[in-house]
Amino acid sequence: MRKGMFYGLLFTAPAILGFAIFTLGPMIASLVLSLTNYNVFQDQTSFVGLDNFVRLFSGKDELFYKSLGITFYFVVLRVPAVILISFGIALLLNLNVKGRAIFRTIIYLPSIVPAVASAMIWMWLLNPDLGLINSLLSRLHLPTSDWLYGESSVIPSVVLTTLWGIGSTVIIFLAGLSGIPRQYYEAIEVDGGGWFRKLSHVTVPMVTPTIFFNTIMTIIGSFQVFNEAYILTQGGPNNRSLFYVFYLWRTGFRDAEMGYASALAWILFIIILFFTFIVFRTSKSWVYYEGGDRA
Amino acid sequence: MRPSKLSLTASYGALILISAMFVIPFVWLIRSSLMNLSQIFTMPPEWIPKPFQWSNFHKALTVLPFDVFFKNTLIIVVTVLVGTVITSSIGAFGFSRIQWKGRDTVFAILMTSMMLPAAVTIIPSFLGWQALGFYDTLYPLIVPAYFGGGIFNIFLLRQFYLTIPRDFDEAAFVDGANYWQIYTRLIFPLSRSAIIVVALFSFLASWNDFMGPLIYLKSDSLFTLALGLQMFQGTYTAQWDLLMAASATVVLPCVIVFLAGQRYFLEGITLTGLKG
């Protein structure tokens, strides 16, 4: 069509400008900042080369390794939990049960609750002295916990609170499950296979692309957890929930060390890219695409 | 799958149990927001408020200027929604219904911004807004919506536009329409449901945003509900009855919006795999 180039650029101009102004520009600026000692409270800013990165890795900044370790622990705990539980729920929802729509709504609903409000609710539920959960546990004569206030229980507790917002992952799984042709199950029924055979031979292989997608999204999201750290724990107790992005925020916006915080941001970016890449690479051996292997 | 009677019963049981676990936090929120402090702390816990302490809501919403927080949130939500819908639908049109050289490459480059952690851009963005004199104003939270409206939304609308037959535009061209007319009279009206999805996601994202307001706003008079609630928690730590009333007030509007647009929501998530 005539003048396609002109109109094409005209219509996409806001998006292209937005990308340049709010993504590309800041990215380059962030890279440059990470090579400076820019601190809002200090007058002099100079180019320091890789000093920030040396300072990070040299071990002088214990909190860097600590926050990294905590975040990894969180990711390792959360990702399998999210994937397994949401897949399990999606399997149940995929059955021909009455009231499916109601169950689906109930399970999705918490994921739209604002993070601050959800944090308030969970702080109240998990309150060690007055909370519902400890009170139920003690009535059942089960051990109670300090939850968010315990050094060893804080991370699992945060994982628990985020599991409440699992709904959107469930919905994506459900979409994947509903795309499986019935004939595959019928074939197994003819062969006399039962529930487990259907699951292992048809359901799981057929939803591997969805598992793959959800795994990547959950990894990316888990590395970036911030709201929970800020609202629920403020990094405590004793820095035991000093999540990486929370530490980054504190370094940049409380201690005003913007240069150093930019270096922290780039490390996170590289870590996320690395894990996404790994999952992509291994996916070739376990993700099944109907009608050929396009990755 | 045709499950047996036994497994069907077991599945119902499991679903009811799981649903209960998802619902109980809401119930706990509501019941706590309607109790007085002494009943709230009663052990073992009681479920029914006696009496219903409706004054909690009045108290919670007046000790801090929640009306101001609400107004600020509303300004942000509405202006962001308008910007998002307009610019993302225009962008999606340019990336799907117009042929131009390099189009798909440009789109692919824009898509990479979805992979980028917000942490990488947040510091330079903050410094930029500050240098322009817009720190502690609502602009940093609103203006970006007018620049593309988010690549997620462009992607979603583009997918939708691609399903509309090309013949439609061809016919319109023959009748002498230009691109702008095709967009406003044909494609935009045809994609009502996808536009609703974008509007709903936009509403939720700005209603729920915490980090943005936290970084860009300093004055109480500009605070959003999310920040107000956080501030409330800092000030009235032990006042669980009021905290829960304030939380319920922040949750309620987004629950209502969700229930009103639920069909579109679930469709939209399925379409894009977007996280709500």
Side-chain angles (χ1 to χ4, degrees), chain A residues 1 11 26 30 95 98 103 105 108-109 112 114 123-125 135 164 169 175 224 261 269, chain B residues 11-12 19 22 28 32 45 90 117-118 120 123-124 173 179 208 233 258 262 269-270 275:
Chain A
M1 255 146 253
F11 277 89
S30 157
L95 295 170
K98 277 203 189 109
F103 288 126
T105 305
Y108 182 72
L109 202 55
I112 60 153
M123 282 166 83
W124 177 219
L125 282 167
S135 120
W164 192 44
T169 313
Q224 297 189 67
F269 184 32
Chain B
S11 309
Y12 266 119
S19 301
F22 276 76
W28 191 244
S32 307
I90 288 177
V120 175
I123 287 172
F173 266 118
Y179 281 118
N208 295 354
Q233 186 237 340
F258 167 70
Q262 109 142 279
I269 291 161
T270 310
K275 302 288 235 170

mmCIF file of all heavy atoms in Angstrom, chain A residues 1 11 26 30 95 98 103 105 108-109 112 114 123-125 135 164 169 175 224 261 269, chain B residues 11-12 19 22 28 32 45 90 117-118 120 123-124 173 179 208 233 258 262 269-270 275:
data_model
loop_
_atom_site.group_PDB
_atom_site.id
_atom_site.type_symbol
_atom_site.label_atom_id
_atom_site.label_comp_id
_atom_site.label_asym_id
_atom_site.label_seq_id
_atom_site.Cartn_x
_atom_site.Cartn_y
_atom_site.Cartn_z
ATOM 1 N N MET A 1 0.815 -1.197 0.000
ATOM 2 C CA MET A 1 0.000 0.000 0.000
ATOM 3 C C MET A 1 0.853 1.252 0.000
ATOM 4 O O MET A 1 1.926 1.276 0.592
ATOM 5 C CB MET A 1 -0.908 0.016 1.228
ATOM 6 C CG MET A 1 -2.339 -0.315 0.864
ATOM 7 S SD MET A 1 -3.134 -1.220 2.170
ATOM 8 C CE MET A 1 -3.204 -2.834 1.438
ATOM 9 N N PHE A 11 1.870 5.693 13.195
ATOM 10 C CA PHE A 11 1.049 4.974 14.165
ATOM 11 C C PHE A 11 1.881 4.348 15.286
ATOM 12 O O PHE A 11 1.418 4.219 16.411
ATOM 13 C CB PHE A 11 0.221 3.886 13.473
ATOM 14 C CG PHE A 11 -1.053 4.410 12.870
ATOM 15 C CD1 PHE A 11 -1.082 4.901 11.576
ATOM 16 C CD2 PHE A 11 -2.234 4.392 13.602
ATOM 17 C CE1 PHE A 11 -2.261 5.376 11.024
ATOM 18 C CE2 PHE A 11 -3.407 4.868 13.054
ATOM 19 C CZ PHE A 11 -3.436 5.369 11.764
ATOM 20 N N PRO A 26 17.114 4.782 29.547
ATOM 21 C CA PRO A 26 17.454 4.432 30.923
ATOM 22 C C PRO A 26 18.420 3.253 31.030
ATOM 23 O O PRO A 26 19.258 3.207 31.915
ATOM 24 C CB PRO A 26 16.102 4.069 31.540
ATOM 25 C CG PRO A 26 15.113 4.834 30.755
ATOM 26 C CD PRO A 26 15.654 4.883 29.362
ATOM 27 N N SER A 30 21.764 3.574 32.838
ATOM 28 C CA SER A 30 22.019 2.716 33.987
ATOM 29 C C SER A 30 23.390 2.056 33.878
ATOM 30 O O SER A 30 24.129 1.923 34.861
ATOM 31 C CB SER A 30 20.911 1.686 34.081
ATOM 32 O OG SER A 30 21.309 0.567 34.782
ATOM 33 N N LEU A 95 -11.363 -30.968 35.129
ATOM 34 C CA LEU A 95 -12.330 -32.063 35.140
ATOM 35 C C LEU A 95 -13.730 -31.513 34.899
ATOM 36 O O LEU A 95 -13.995 -30.344 35.123
ATOM 37 C CB LEU A 95 -12.299 -32.777 36.494
ATOM 38 C CG LEU A 95 -11.004 -33.496 36.823
ATOM 39 C CD1 LEU A 95 -11.005 -33.933 38.270
ATOM 40 C CD2 LEU A 95 -10.826 -34.691 35.897
ATOM 41 N N LYS A 98 -19.199 -29.708 38.159
ATOM 42 C CA LYS A 98 -20.138 -28.586 38.150
ATOM 43 C C LYS A 98 -19.541 -27.432 38.946
ATOM 44 O O LYS A 98 -18.761 -27.636 39.856
ATOM 45 C CB LYS A 98 -21.472 -29.028 38.777
ATOM 46 C CG LYS A 98 -22.366 -29.749 37.792
ATOM 47 C CD LYS A 98 -23.830 -29.666 38.235
ATOM 48 C CE LYS A 98 -24.690 -30.571 37.362
ATOM 49 N NZ LYS A 98 -25.187 -31.762 38.081
ATOM 50 N N PHE A 103 -15.314 -22.060 41.035
ATOM 51 C CA PHE A 103 -14.012 -22.434 41.598
ATOM 52 C C PHE A 103 -12.890 -21.614 40.944
ATOM 53 O O PHE A 103 -11.983 -21.126 41.602
ATOM 54 C CB PHE A 103 -13.721 -23.922 41.374
ATOM 55 C CG PHE A 103 -14.560 -24.838 42.237
ATOM 56 C CD1 PHE A 103 -15.307 -25.856 41.663
ATOM 57 C CD2 PHE A 103 -14.574 -24.687 43.615
ATOM 58 C CE1 PHE A 103 -16.073 -26.697 42.448
ATOM 59 C CE2 PHE A 103 -15.338 -25.538 44.408
ATOM 60 C CZ PHE A 103 -16.091 -26.543 43.823
ATOM 61 N N THR A 105 -13.065 -18.689 39.514
ATOM 62 C CA THR A 105 -13.112 -17.298 39.963
ATOM 63 C C THR A 105 -12.488 -17.148 41.345
ATOM 64 O O THR A 105 -11.687 -16.256 41.585
ATOM 65 C CB THR A 105 -14.567 -16.795 40.005
ATOM 66 O OG1 THR A 105 -15.140 -17.008 38.721
ATOM 67 C CG2 THR A 105 -14.644 -15.336 40.362
ATOM 68 N N TYR A 108 -8.766 -17.405 41.160
ATOM 69 C CA TYR A 108 -8.101 -16.287 40.485
ATOM 70 C C TYR A 108 -8.156 -15.001 41.311
ATOM 71 O O TYR A 108 -7.224 -14.205 41.286
ATOM 72 C CB TYR A 108 -8.733 -16.046 39.100
ATOM 73 C CG TYR A 108 -8.030 -14.933 38.359
ATOM 74 C CD1 TYR A 108 -6.754 -15.143 37.853
ATOM 75 C CD2 TYR A 108 -8.601 -13.679 38.206
ATOM 76 C CE1 TYR A 108 -6.074 -14.133 37.205
ATOM 77 C CE2 TYR A 108 -7.927 -12.658 37.563
ATOM 78 C CZ TYR A 108 -6.672 -12.894 37.060
ATOM 79 O OH TYR A 108 -5.993 -11.896 36.432
ATOM 80 N N LEU A 109 -9.247 -14.834 42.032
ATOM 81 C CA LEU A 109 -9.508 -13.567 42.726
ATOM 82 C C LEU A 109 -8.334 -13.004 43.545
ATOM 83 O O LEU A 109 -8.021 -11.822 43.437
ATOM 84 C CB LEU A 109 -10.762 -13.723 43.597
ATOM 85 C CG LEU A 109 -11.499 -12.446 43.969
ATOM 86 C CD1 LEU A 109 -11.870 -11.631 42.754
ATOM 87 C CD2 LEU A 109 -12.738 -12.789 44.780
ATOM 88 N N ILE A 112 -5.590 -10.558 42.059
ATOM 89 C CA ILE A 112 -5.810 -9.151 41.703
ATOM 90 C C ILE A 112 -5.769 -8.225 42.926
ATOM 91 O O ILE A 112 -5.870 -7.025 42.781
ATOM 92 C CB ILE A 112 -7.159 -8.942 40.978
ATOM 93 C CG1 ILE A 112 -8.304 -9.384 41.877
ATOM 94 C CG2 ILE A 112 -7.213 -9.670 39.654
ATOM 95 C CD1 ILE A 112 -9.586 -8.661 41.577
ATOM 96 N N PRO A 114 -4.354 -5.866 45.592
ATOM 97 C CA PRO A 114 -3.131 -5.062 45.656
ATOM 98 C C PRO A 114 -2.127 -5.636 46.661
ATOM 99 O O PRO A 114 -2.530 -6.112 47.729
ATOM 100 C CB PRO A 114 -3.636 -3.704 46.135
ATOM 101 C CG PRO A 114 -5.076 -3.665 45.769
ATOM 102 C CD PRO A 114 -5.560 -5.069 45.813
ATOM 103 N N MET A 123 -0.024 -10.533 57.125
ATOM 104 C CA MET A 123 0.625 -10.204 58.397
ATOM 105 C C MET A 123 -0.312 -10.504 59.552
ATOM 106 O O MET A 123 0.109 -10.920 60.623
ATOM 107 C CB MET A 123 0.999 -8.718 58.422
ATOM 108 C CG MET A 123 2.243 -8.417 57.635
ATOM 109 S SD MET A 123 2.404 -6.658 57.348
ATOM 110 C CE MET A 123 3.136 -6.194 58.891
ATOM 111 N N TRP A 124 -1.570 -10.285 59.280
ATOM 112 C CA TRP A 124 -2.590 -10.506 60.313
ATOM 113 C C TRP A 124 -2.833 -12.006 60.494
ATOM 114 O O TRP A 124 -2.866 -12.517 61.600
ATOM 115 C CB TRP A 124 -3.831 -9.730 59.900
ATOM 116 C CG TRP A 124 -5.077 -9.816 60.745
ATOM 117 C CD1 TRP A 124 -6.346 -9.875 60.266
ATOM 118 C CD2 TRP A 124 -5.186 -9.816 62.166
ATOM 119 N NE1 TRP A 124 -7.221 -9.921 61.304
ATOM 120 C CE2 TRP A 124 -6.543 -9.893 62.494
ATOM 121 C CE3 TRP A 124 -4.259 -9.781 63.218
ATOM 122 C CZ2 TRP A 124 -7.016 -9.934 63.801
ATOM 123 C CZ3 TRP A 124 -4.730 -9.821 64.527
ATOM 124 C CH2 TRP A 124 -6.091 -9.893 64.806
ATOM 125 N N LEU A 125 -2.957 -12.733 59.383
ATOM 126 C CA LEU A 125 -3.174 -14.185 59.457
ATOM 127 C C LEU A 125 -1.987 -14.890 60.124
ATOM 128 O O LEU A 125 -2.147 -15.867 60.857
ATOM 129 C CB LEU A 125 -3.351 -14.770 58.051
ATOM 130 C CG LEU A 125 -4.700 -14.586 57.373
ATOM 131 C CD1 LEU A 125 -4.587 -14.947 55.903
ATOM 132 C CD2 LEU A 125 -5.754 -15.458 58.045
ATOM 133 N N SER A 135 -3.345 -19.962 65.730
ATOM 134 C CA SER A 135 -4.408 -20.369 66.639
ATOM 135 C C SER A 135 -5.043 -21.689 66.188
ATOM 136 O O SER A 135 -5.356 -22.547 67.009
ATOM 137 C CB SER A 135 -5.408 -19.235 66.782
ATOM 138 O OG SER A 135 -6.677 -19.630 66.372
ATOM 139 N N TRP A 164 -0.778 -17.499 47.482
ATOM 140 C CA TRP A 164 -2.188 -17.095 47.452
ATOM 141 C C TRP A 164 -2.508 -16.446 46.102
ATOM 142 O O TRP A 164 -3.628 -16.521 45.613
ATOM 143 C CB TRP A 164 -2.441 -16.119 48.610
ATOM 144 C CG TRP A 164 -3.884 -15.846 48.888
ATOM 145 C CD1 TRP A 164 -4.887 -16.772 48.947
ATOM 146 C CD2 TRP A 164 -4.487 -14.573 49.134
ATOM 147 N NE1 TRP A 164 -6.075 -16.138 49.236
ATOM 148 C CE2 TRP A 164 -5.859 -14.804 49.355
ATOM 149 C CE3 TRP A 164 -4.003 -13.263 49.202
ATOM 150 C CZ2 TRP A 164 -6.755 -13.764 49.642
ATOM 151 C CZ3 TRP A 164 -4.892 -12.236 49.491
ATOM 152 C CH2 TRP A 164 -6.257 -12.487 49.710
ATOM 153 N N THR A 169 -1.374 -18.068 36.998
ATOM 154 C CA THR A 169 -0.631 -19.232 36.505
ATOM 155 C C THR A 169 -1.581 -20.414 36.294
ATOM 156 O O THR A 169 -1.463 -21.140 35.299
ATOM 157 C CB THR A 169 0.479 -19.608 37.511
ATOM 158 O OG1 THR A 169 1.174 -18.427 37.887
ATOM 159 C CG2 THR A 169 1.463 -20.586 36.918
ATOM 160 N N ALA A 175 -5.711 -23.137 30.249
ATOM 161 C CA ALA A 175 -5.800 -22.911 28.814
ATOM 162 C C ALA A 175 -4.996 -23.983 28.063
ATOM 163 O O ALA A 175 -5.444 -24.519 27.046
ATOM 164 C CB ALA A 175 -5.280 -21.527 28.469
ATOM 165 N N GLN A 224 12.568 -10.868 41.120
ATOM 166 C CA GLN A 224 12.317 -9.439 41.261
ATOM 167 C C GLN A 224 11.412 -9.080 42.415
ATOM 168 O O GLN A 224 10.917 -7.964 42.500
ATOM 169 C CB GLN A 224 11.695 -8.902 39.970
ATOM 170 C CG GLN A 224 12.616 -9.039 38.796
ATOM 171 C CD GLN A 224 12.068 -8.305 37.605
ATOM 172 O OE1 GLN A 224 11.987 -7.095 37.596
ATOM 173 N NE2 GLN A 224 11.669 -9.055 36.590
ATOM 174 N N ALA A 261 24.004 1.161 43.095
ATOM 175 C CA ALA A 261 22.729 0.462 42.914
ATOM 176 C C ALA A 261 22.528 0.080 41.449
ATOM 177 O O ALA A 261 21.957 -0.972 41.140
ATOM 178 C CB ALA A 261 21.571 1.325 43.402
ATOM 179 N N PHE A 269 20.001 -8.233 36.159
ATOM 180 C CA PHE A 269 19.608 -8.411 34.769
ATOM 181 C C PHE A 269 20.356 -9.593 34.151
ATOM 182 O O PHE A 269 19.758 -10.457 33.496
ATOM 183 C CB PHE A 269 19.916 -7.114 34.007
ATOM 184 C CG PHE A 269 19.470 -7.122 32.575
ATOM 185 C CD1 PHE A 269 18.344 -7.824 32.170
ATOM 186 C CD2 PHE A 269 20.170 -6.404 31.616
ATOM 187 C CE1 PHE A 269 17.931 -7.809 30.857
ATOM 188 C CE2 PHE A 269 19.762 -6.386 30.291
ATOM 189 C CZ PHE A 269 18.646 -7.097 29.913
ATOM 190 N N SER B 11 -12.317 -35.302 43.669
ATOM 191 C CA SER B 11 -11.955 -34.033 43.053
ATOM 192 C C SER B 11 -12.769 -32.879 43.605
ATOM 193 O O SER B 11 -12.243 -31.803 43.869
ATOM 194 C CB SER B 11 -12.154 -34.103 41.541
ATOM 195 O OG SER B 11 -11.515 -35.226 41.020
ATOM 196 N N TYR B 12 -14.079 -33.135 43.781
ATOM 197 C CA TYR B 12 -14.916 -32.101 44.387
ATOM 198 C C TYR B 12 -14.383 -31.733 45.759
ATOM 199 O O TYR B 12 -14.253 -30.559 46.102
ATOM 200 C CB TYR B 12 -16.364 -32.601 44.547
ATOM 201 C CG TYR B 12 -17.255 -32.231 43.402
ATOM 202 C CD1 TYR B 12 -17.863 -33.210 42.636
ATOM 203 C CD2 TYR B 12 -17.492 -30.892 43.104
ATOM 204 C CE1 TYR B 12 -18.674 -32.877 41.573
ATOM 205 C CE2 TYR B 12 -18.304 -30.556 42.039
ATOM 206 C CZ TYR B 12 -18.906 -31.552 41.280
ATOM 207 O OH TYR B 12 -19.710 -31.222 40.238
ATOM 208 N N SER B 19 -10.501 -24.174 47.437
ATOM 209 C CA SER B 19 -11.232 -22.910 47.345
ATOM 210 C C SER B 19 -11.384 -22.280 48.723
ATOM 211 O O SER B 19 -11.252 -21.067 48.876
ATOM 212 C CB SER B 19 -12.612 -23.127 46.743
ATOM 213 O OG SER B 19 -12.471 -23.682 45.471
ATOM 214 N N PHE B 22 -8.384 -20.456 49.634
ATOM 215 C CA PHE B 22 -8.239 -19.187 48.915
ATOM 216 C C PHE B 22 -9.218 -18.133 49.437
ATOM 217 O O PHE B 22 -8.962 -16.944 49.325
ATOM 218 C CB PHE B 22 -8.444 -19.393 47.404
ATOM 219 C CG PHE B 22 -7.193 -19.842 46.703
ATOM 220 C CD1 PHE B 22 -6.751 -21.152 46.812
ATOM 221 C CD2 PHE B 22 -6.431 -18.959 45.949
ATOM 222 C CE1 PHE B 22 -5.585 -21.573 46.191
ATOM 223 C CE2 PHE B 22 -5.261 -19.366 45.318
ATOM 224 C CZ PHE B 22 -4.839 -20.682 45.439
ATOM 225 N N TRP B 28 -11.457 -13.614 56.693
ATOM 226 C CA TRP B 28 -10.729 -13.137 57.873
ATOM 227 C C TRP B 28 -10.575 -11.615 57.825
ATOM 228 O O TRP B 28 -10.683 -10.926 58.822
ATOM 229 C CB TRP B 28 -9.377 -13.836 57.930
ATOM 230 C CG TRP B 28 -8.607 -13.663 59.199
ATOM 231 C CD1 TRP B 28 -7.415 -13.039 59.352
ATOM 232 C CD2 TRP B 28 -8.951 -14.162 60.505
ATOM 233 N NE1 TRP B 28 -6.999 -13.096 60.656
ATOM 234 C CE2 TRP B 28 -7.921 -13.786 61.377
ATOM 235 C CE3 TRP B 28 -10.052 -14.880 61.012
ATOM 236 C CZ2 TRP B 28 -7.939 -14.097 62.737
ATOM 237 C CZ3 TRP B 28 -10.065 -15.189 62.360
ATOM 238 C CH2 TRP B 28 -9.021 -14.804 63.200
ATOM 239 N N SER B 32 -12.569 -9.276 60.485
ATOM 240 C CA SER B 32 -11.739 -8.460 61.368
ATOM 241 C C SER B 32 -12.040 -6.982 61.210
ATOM 242 O O SER B 32 -11.910 -6.208 62.151
ATOM 243 C CB SER B 32 -10.252 -8.704 61.091
ATOM 244 O OG SER B 32 -9.952 -10.072 61.143
ATOM 245 N N PRO B 45 -10.548 -17.868 68.049
ATOM 246 C CA PRO B 45 -11.142 -16.798 67.249
ATOM 247 C C PRO B 45 -12.634 -16.999 66.993
ATOM 248 O O PRO B 45 -13.111 -18.123 66.861
ATOM 249 C CB PRO B 45 -10.364 -16.856 65.941
ATOM 250 C CG PRO B 45 -9.638 -18.142 65.945
ATOM 251 C CD PRO B 45 -9.509 -18.606 67.336
ATOM 252 N N ILE B 90 -3.320 2.274 18.851
ATOM 253 C CA ILE B 90 -2.714 2.885 17.666
ATOM 254 C C ILE B 90 -1.454 2.119 17.264
ATOM 255 O O ILE B 90 -1.250 1.769 16.106
ATOM 256 C CB ILE B 90 -2.361 4.372 17.945
ATOM 257 C CG1 ILE B 90 -3.639 5.201 18.022
ATOM 258 C CG2 ILE B 90 -1.449 4.926 16.865
ATOM 259 C CD1 ILE B 90 -3.392 6.650 18.373
ATOM 260 N N PRO B 117 14.251 -6.417 33.695
ATOM 261 C CA PRO B 117 13.736 -6.165 35.039
ATOM 262 C C PRO B 117 13.561 -4.668 35.270
ATOM 263 O O PRO B 117 14.409 -3.872 34.841
ATOM 264 C CB PRO B 117 14.837 -6.696 35.963
ATOM 265 C CG PRO B 117 15.817 -7.380 35.115
ATOM 266 C CD PRO B 117 15.610 -6.948 33.702
ATOM 267 N N ALA B 118 12.469 -4.302 35.928
ATOM 268 C CA ALA B 118 12.195 -2.887 36.201
ATOM 269 C C ALA B 118 13.353 -2.255 36.959
ATOM 270 O O ALA B 118 13.631 -1.069 36.806
ATOM 271 C CB ALA B 118 10.909 -2.759 37.001
ATOM 272 N N VAL B 120 16.409 -2.302 36.500
ATOM 273 C CA VAL B 120 17.480 -1.737 35.676
ATOM 274 C C VAL B 120 17.166 -0.304 35.251
ATOM 275 O O VAL B 120 18.052 0.542 35.183
ATOM 276 C CB VAL B 120 17.740 -2.609 34.433
ATOM 277 C CG1 VAL B 120 18.765 -1.958 33.510
ATOM 278 C CG2 VAL B 120 18.232 -3.981 34.851
ATOM 279 N N ILE B 123 16.343 3.535 38.365
ATOM 280 C CA ILE B 123 17.208 4.610 38.871
ATOM 281 C C ILE B 123 17.394 5.729 37.841
ATOM 282 O O ILE B 123 17.127 6.897 38.157
ATOM 283 C CB ILE B 123 18.532 4.039 39.407
ATOM 284 C CG1 ILE B 123 18.249 3.338 40.737
ATOM 285 C CG2 ILE B 123 19.580 5.136 39.598
ATOM 286 C CD1 ILE B 123 19.405 2.561 41.301
ATOM 287 N N PRO B 124 17.798 5.427 36.597
ATOM 288 C CA PRO B 124 17.894 6.509 35.615
ATOM 289 C C PRO B 124 16.552 7.198 35.368
ATOM 290 O O PRO B 124 16.520 8.419 35.205
ATOM 291 C CB PRO B 124 18.369 5.814 34.344
ATOM 292 C CG PRO B 124 18.878 4.506 34.773
ATOM 293 C CD PRO B 124 18.223 4.142 36.039
ATOM 294 N N PHE B 173 -10.386 0.820 1.596
ATOM 295 C CA PHE B 173 -9.470 1.588 0.755
ATOM 296 C C PHE B 173 -10.118 1.941 -0.575
ATOM 297 O O PHE B 173 -10.019 3.071 -1.055
ATOM 298 C CB PHE B 173 -8.178 0.809 0.492
ATOM 299 C CG PHE B 173 -7.086 1.133 1.462
ATOM 300 C CD1 PHE B 173 -6.564 0.151 2.301
ATOM 301 C CD2 PHE B 173 -6.570 2.423 1.544
ATOM 302 C CE1 PHE B 173 -5.568 0.459 3.203
ATOM 303 C CE2 PHE B 173 -5.564 2.729 2.443
ATOM 304 C CZ PHE B 173 -5.056 1.738 3.274
ATOM 305 N N TYR B 179 -5.882 5.388 6.367
ATOM 306 C CA TYR B 179 -5.536 4.539 7.509
ATOM 307 C C TYR B 179 -6.240 4.975 8.790
ATOM 308 O O TYR B 179 -6.722 4.161 9.576
ATOM 309 C CB TYR B 179 -4.022 4.548 7.736
ATOM 310 C CG TYR B 179 -3.268 3.651 6.791
ATOM 311 C CD1 TYR B 179 -2.330 4.179 5.910
ATOM 312 C CD2 TYR B 179 -3.475 2.276 6.788
ATOM 313 C CE1 TYR B 179 -1.626 3.363 5.044
ATOM 314 C CE2 TYR B 179 -2.778 1.443 5.930
ATOM 315 C CZ TYR B 179 -1.846 1.994 5.056
ATOM 316 O OH TYR B 179 -1.165 1.178 4.212
ATOM 317 N N ASN B 208 -2.993 -1.107 41.672
ATOM 318 C CA ASN B 208 -2.171 -1.931 42.552
ATOM 319 C C ASN B 208 -0.716 -1.492 42.649
ATOM 320 O O ASN B 208 0.025 -2.023 43.465
ATOM 321 C CB ASN B 208 -2.198 -3.393 42.083
ATOM 322 C CG ASN B 208 -3.572 -4.005 42.211
ATOM 323 O OD1 ASN B 208 -4.484 -3.380 42.748
ATOM 324 N ND2 ASN B 208 -3.729 -5.219 41.725
ATOM 325 N N GLN B 233 -0.358 1.492 58.082
ATOM 326 C CA GLN B 233 0.204 0.356 58.806
ATOM 327 C C GLN B 233 1.352 0.810 59.696
ATOM 328 O O GLN B 233 1.489 0.381 60.832
ATOM 329 C CB GLN B 233 0.691 -0.698 57.812
ATOM 330 C CG GLN B 233 1.157 -1.974 58.465
ATOM 331 C CD GLN B 233 2.583 -2.307 58.108
ATOM 332 O OE1 GLN B 233 3.126 -1.827 57.127
ATOM 333 N NE2 GLN B 233 3.211 -3.135 58.915
ATOM 334 N N PHE B 258 -13.047 -6.604 38.845
ATOM 335 C CA PHE B 258 -12.769 -7.946 38.345
ATOM 336 C C PHE B 258 -14.060 -8.718 38.070
ATOM 337 O O PHE B 258 -14.232 -9.301 36.999
ATOM 338 C CB PHE B 258 -11.918 -8.741 39.328
ATOM 339 C CG PHE B 258 -11.872 -10.204 39.004
ATOM 340 C CD1 PHE B 258 -11.188 -10.660 37.888
ATOM 341 C CD2 PHE B 258 -12.564 -11.117 39.779
ATOM 342 C CE1 PHE B 258 -11.179 -12.003 37.558
ATOM 343 C CE2 PHE B 258 -12.561 -12.465 39.446
ATOM 344 C CZ PHE B 258 -11.860 -12.910 38.345
ATOM 345 N N GLN B 262 -14.965 -10.144 34.452
ATOM 346 C CA GLN B 262 -14.237 -11.397 34.632
ATOM 347 C C GLN B 262 -14.039 -12.205 33.357
ATOM 348 O O GLN B 262 -12.953 -12.725 33.121
ATOM 349 C CB GLN B 262 -14.938 -12.160 35.727
ATOM 350 C CG GLN B 262 -15.575 -13.076 35.810
ATOM 351 C CD GLN B 262 -15.793 -14.169 36.670
ATOM 352 O OE1 GLN B 262 -15.033 -15.101 36.601
ATOM 353 N NE2 GLN B 262 -16.848 -14.133 37.435
ATOM 354 N N ILE B 269 -5.872 -13.177 29.908
ATOM 355 C CA ILE B 269 -4.726 -13.882 30.485
ATOM 356 C C ILE B 269 -4.384 -15.091 29.642
ATOM 357 O O ILE B 269 -3.228 -15.377 29.352
ATOM 358 C CB ILE B 269 -5.040 -14.330 31.914
ATOM 359 C CG1 ILE B 269 -5.136 -13.105 32.789
ATOM 360 C CG2 ILE B 269 -3.977 -15.256 32.448
ATOM 361 C CD1 ILE B 269 -5.858 -13.381 34.043
ATOM 362 N N THR B 270 -5.417 -15.794 29.223
ATOM 363 C CA THR B 270 -5.203 -16.970 28.408
ATOM 364 C C THR B 270 -4.511 -16.596 27.104
ATOM 365 O O THR B 270 -3.591 -17.265 26.651
ATOM 366 C CB THR B 270 -6.556 -17.635 28.102
ATOM 367 O OG1 THR B 270 -7.253 -17.776 29.330
ATOM 368 C CG2 THR B 270 -6.365 -18.986 27.486
ATOM 369 N N LYS B 275 0.651 -11.966 33.423
ATOM 370 C CA LYS B 275 0.437 -12.161 34.855
ATOM 371 C C LYS B 275 -0.430 -11.042 35.395
ATOM 372 O O LYS B 275 -0.164 -9.878 35.161
ATOM 373 C CB LYS B 275 1.771 -12.144 35.595
ATOM 374 C CG LYS B 275 2.733 -13.188 35.095
ATOM 375 C CD LYS B 275 2.295 -14.553 35.526
ATOM 376 C CE LYS B 275 3.438 -15.206 36.267
ATOM 377 N NZ LYS B 275 3.108 -16.397 36.920
#
